[in-house]
């Protein structure tokens, strides 16, 4: 018996050949090597199929075949380009302050996101700016409470105490718990292995940097010198750039647009640091600046206990990622996806194919008897697939596809997105 089901799909469904077209199968869009042998892979299970009735019904199909192939190649090219993409992580220490608002204005105007390593005492003084950091899609990190070296590096107990105090300040102000941490002054000659081990055991990830803007080497460093330091730094595939947004760093704000323009001219993309980003860390110095006792297991245990309580007791108040809805906007139309209808994998947002299809107006007809699928968009057949795995039991099967690549296949772009613990929204072009 033939059963036809109309749902949304894109050219990415050719990957069904790789995945066996099982319900809930996930598409991969981040490995060009998996896309290159496409035709060889689909031959055994899912292949191009041109039944005569379909060709007769769609006389224009043959003429559009070249266009189809180009659409199929586009995701592979995009994935390859993404794999080779150079990334710069702009990081701002010691805020929030009045300068943070100016930095946020520039980042918003430039359409990029960054990371702010904040001081707990400043978060409590500038709660609206701390909230704005989160609301505008940036990452927030722990930079201890008061930045006083003699306290922080006098003992691990004191350092851990400031970390916990700042963690609570960030959470109470923004509703976000962060695992990102930067040591004031950096870890070199300040951290011994015990500091690293203790923080790691409690789930914190320490980030140093590999580009120093020099904006804190003295008071009121001119913007021209800051830019010169940036341009004189070695380029790499991943850059973690140290800047400051605290009071007294107006020149850093002044230099920021030129810094952004410089990295854009070098082909870099901008991103916030997340817990999935491999940290850049300085090596442990053979000699420290500080005379202190070794870190004890008791000091580490206290921080671990604190972190474990966050997971257990904070869950009733903290907004968990899996409880957040994802909203897509296209003009006045909205698609709201509940928890479980989307996911974030390796920085790629993946959603329900069926729901996305219904929303953008693409369609898929499934024939269980023939085991074939015909994809159409705006009245034109885009792709015909055949698979022995397409059975009646599969008619209601849902699939997960990458949002950006799927939309791009149909000529729909993403104008803006916000993805954090408090807000998850995507605005697409008409």
């Amino acid at each position: 018996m033939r059963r036809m089901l109309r749902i949304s799909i894109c050219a990415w469904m050719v990957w069904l050949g790789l995945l066996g077209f099982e319900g809930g199968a996930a598409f991969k869009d981040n490995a060009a090597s998996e896309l290159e042998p496409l035709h060889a892979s689909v031959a055994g299970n899912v292949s191009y199929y041109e039944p005569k009735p379909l060709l007769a019904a769609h006389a224009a199909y043959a003429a559009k075949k070249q266009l189809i192939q180009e659409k199929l190649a586009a995701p592979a090219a995009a994935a390859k380009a993404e794999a080779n993409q150079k990334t710069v992580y702009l990081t701002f220490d010691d805020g929030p302050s009045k300068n943070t608002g100016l930095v946020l204005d520039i980042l918003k105007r430039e359409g990029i996101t960054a990371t702010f390593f904040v001081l707990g005492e400043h978060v409590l003084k500038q709660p609206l700016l701390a909230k704005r950091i989160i609301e505008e899609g940036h990452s927030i990190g722990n930079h201890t409470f008061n930045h006083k070296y003699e306290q922080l590096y006098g003992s691990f107990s004191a350092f851990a105490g400031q970390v916990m105090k700042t963690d609570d300040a960030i959470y109470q102000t923004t509703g976000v718990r962060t695992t990102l941490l930067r040591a004031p002054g950096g870890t070199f000659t300040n951290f011994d292995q015990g500091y690293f081990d203790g923080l790691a055991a409690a789930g914190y990830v320490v980030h140093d940097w590999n580009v120093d803007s020099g904006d804190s080497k003295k008071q009121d460093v001119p913007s021209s010198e800051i830019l010169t330091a940036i341009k004189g730094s070695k380029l790499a595939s991943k850059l973690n750039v140290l800047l400051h947004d605290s009071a007294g760093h107006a020149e850093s704000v002044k230099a920021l647009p030129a810094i952004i323009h410089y990295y854009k001219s070098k082909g870099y993309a901008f991103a916030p640091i997340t817990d999935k980003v491999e940290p850049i860390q300085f090596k442990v110095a053979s000699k420290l600046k500080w005379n202190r006792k070794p870190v004890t297991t008791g000091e580490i245990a206290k921080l671990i206990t604190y972190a474990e309580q966050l997971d257990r007791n904070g869950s009733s108040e903290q907004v968990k990622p899996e409880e957040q809805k994802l909203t897509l906007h296209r003009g006045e139309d909205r698609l709201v996806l509940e928890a479980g209808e989307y996911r974030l994998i390796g920085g790629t947002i993946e959603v329900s194919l069926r729901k996305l299809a219904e929303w953008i107006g693409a369609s898929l007809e499934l024939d269980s008897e023939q085991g074939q699928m015909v994809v159409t968009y705006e009245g034109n057949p885009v792709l015909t697939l055949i698979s022995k795995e397409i059975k009646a039991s599969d008619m209601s099967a849902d699939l997960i596809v990458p949002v950006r690549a799927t939309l791009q296949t149909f000529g729909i772009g993403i104008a803006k997105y916000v993805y954090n613990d408090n807000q998850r929204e995507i605005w697409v072009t008409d």
Side-chain angles (χ1 to χ4, degrees):
M1 177 179 178
R2 176 173 297 183
R3 298 178 58 194
M4 310 297 286
L5 176 63
R6 184 178 182 83
I7 66 171
S8 190
I9 196 168
C10 68
W12 281 65
M13 288 195 65
V14 75
W15 286 351
L16 292 172
L18 300 176
L19 302 174
F21 188 53
E22 298 178 355
F27 282 72
K28 298 181 180 179
D29 69 330
N30 59 354
S33 61
E34 295 177 350
L35 300 177
E36 291 167 356
L38 181 62
H39 297 286
S41 299
V42 299
N45 187 33
V46 179
S47 60
Y48 298 109
Y49 185 57
E50 303 178 12
K52 292 181 180 179
L54 178 64
L55 291 177
H58 302 287
Y61 182 77
K64 292 182 176 293
K65 213 169 182 183
Q66 182 62 36
L67 177 61
I68 293 171
Q69 298 301 325
E70 292 174 357
K71 286 186 176 182
L72 287 174
K80 187 173 182 180
E82 184 175 350
N84 295 329
Q85 178 65 65
K86 298 180 295 184
T87 305
V88 58
Y89 301 97
L90 295 180
T91 64
F92 299 88
D93 288 10
D94 299 352
S97 76
K98 62 179 182 180
N99 285 325
T100 305
L102 299 175
V103 168
L104 289 170
D105 290 342
I106 294 171
L107 297 176
K108 186 174 183 179
R109 184 170 66 245
E110 295 288 343
I112 64 177
T113 47
T115 304
F116 293 80
F117 288 101
V118 297
L119 295 176
E121 63 178 2
H122 290 172
V123 168
L124 297 179
K125 293 176 182 177
Q126 299 281 359
L128 295 181
L129 286 173
K131 291 178 181 178
R132 186 180 166 189
I133 289 171
I134 300 301
E135 290 168 355
E136 296 187 4
H138 306 286
S139 291
I140 197 166
N142 192 318
H143 198 45
T144 74
F145 194 80
N146 65 12
H147 207 282
K148 294 182 179 180
Y149 290 6
E150 65 278 8
Q151 295 178 18
L152 295 169
Y153 303 123
S155 70
F156 182 76
S157 178
F159 189 97
Q162 288 209 25
V163 168
M164 291 185 283
K165 193 174 181 180
T166 300
D167 200 326
D168 287 338
I170 293 172
Y171 173 66
Q172 292 165 10
T173 304
T174 68
V176 171
R177 292 287 187 187
T178 182
T179 61
L180 310 180
L181 187 144
R182 173 168 286 167
T187 62
F188 189 68
T189 71
N190 291 324
F191 270 31
D192 53 33
Q193 193 59 48
Y195 270 61
F196 277 114
D197 293 344
L199 290 166
Y204 293 98
V205 183
V206 179
H207 292 263
D208 285 309
W209 56 87
N210 59 356
V211 177
D212 187 350
S213 69
D215 67 346
S216 64
K217 65 181 181 180
K218 62 181 180 181
Q219 189 173 3
D220 298 323
V221 177
S223 60
S224 59
E225 291 186 19
I226 295 172
L227 185 59
T228 297
I230 291 289
K231 292 183 176 181
S233 298
K234 183 179 179 180
L235 296 176
S237 61
K238 181 175 73 173
L239 299 178
N240 186 318
V241 182
L242 174 65
L243 291 157
H244 294 79
D245 62 327
S246 53
H249 285 94
E251 289 294 302
S252 298
V253 177
K254 184 178 178 180
L256 183 57
I259 293 172
I260 294 171
H261 177 76
Y262 169 72
Y263 284 121
K264 284 184 176 181
S265 72
K266 296 296 183 181
Y268 281 86
F270 295 80
I273 296 175
T274 68
D275 57 3
K276 294 181 174 60
V277 173
E278 187 71 22
I280 291 173
Q281 294 180 348
F282 300 145
K283 65 179 182 180
V284 177
S286 58
K287 184 177 181 180
L288 301 180
K289 292 180 182 177
W290 316 94
N291 292 320
R292 61 173 179 250
K293 296 180 180 179
V295 179
T296 67
T297 55
E299 290 175 321
I300 295 177
K302 184 176 181 180
L303 184 59
I304 292 175
T305 299
Y306 168 82
E308 290 176 343
Q309 290 175 342
L310 297 184
D311 294 337
R312 184 173 64 253
N313 299 330
S315 59
S316 62
E317 298 178 2
Q318 184 181 353
V319 178
K320 293 295 184 181
E322 60 268 25
E323 297 172 351
Q324 289 291 318
K325 295 179 180 180
L326 174 67
T327 303
L328 286 79
H329 302 267
R330 190 183 188 191
E332 298 297 322
D333 294 331
R334 292 194 308 162
L335 172 63
V336 180
L337 299 175
E338 301 290 340
E341 293 179 329
Y342 73 94
R343 64 191 181 190
L344 181 67
I345 302 294
T348 298
I349 301 174
E350 300 179 338
V351 304
S352 161
L353 170 62
R354 175 175 55 82
K355 287 183 176 286
L356 186 63
E358 292 172 350
W359 189 56
I360 67 174
S363 66
L364 170 67
E365 293 179 338
L366 300 181
D367 185 333
S368 60
E369 291 183 356
Q370 298 297 322
Q372 72 180 36
M373 298 177 292
V374 180
V375 184
T376 62
Y377 182 63
E378 297 182 342
N380 298 315
V382 176
L383 184 65
T384 301
L385 304 174
I386 182 169
S387 172
K388 60 184 179 182
E389 299 297 329
I390 301 175
K391 303 174 183 178
S393 60
D394 295 322
M395 290 296 99
S396 61
D398 203 358
L399 300 170
I400 302 299
V401 294
V403 174
R404 183 183 295 275
T406 301
L407 292 176
Q408 286 178 342
T409 301
F410 293 97
I412 301 172
I414 292 180
K416 174 187 175 184
Y417 74 92
V418 176
Y419 194 101
N420 55 56
D421 286 344
N422 294 328
Q423 181 184 9
R424 299 185 176 183
E425 298 184 70
I426 299 174
W427 289 263
V428 305
T429 57
D430 289 323

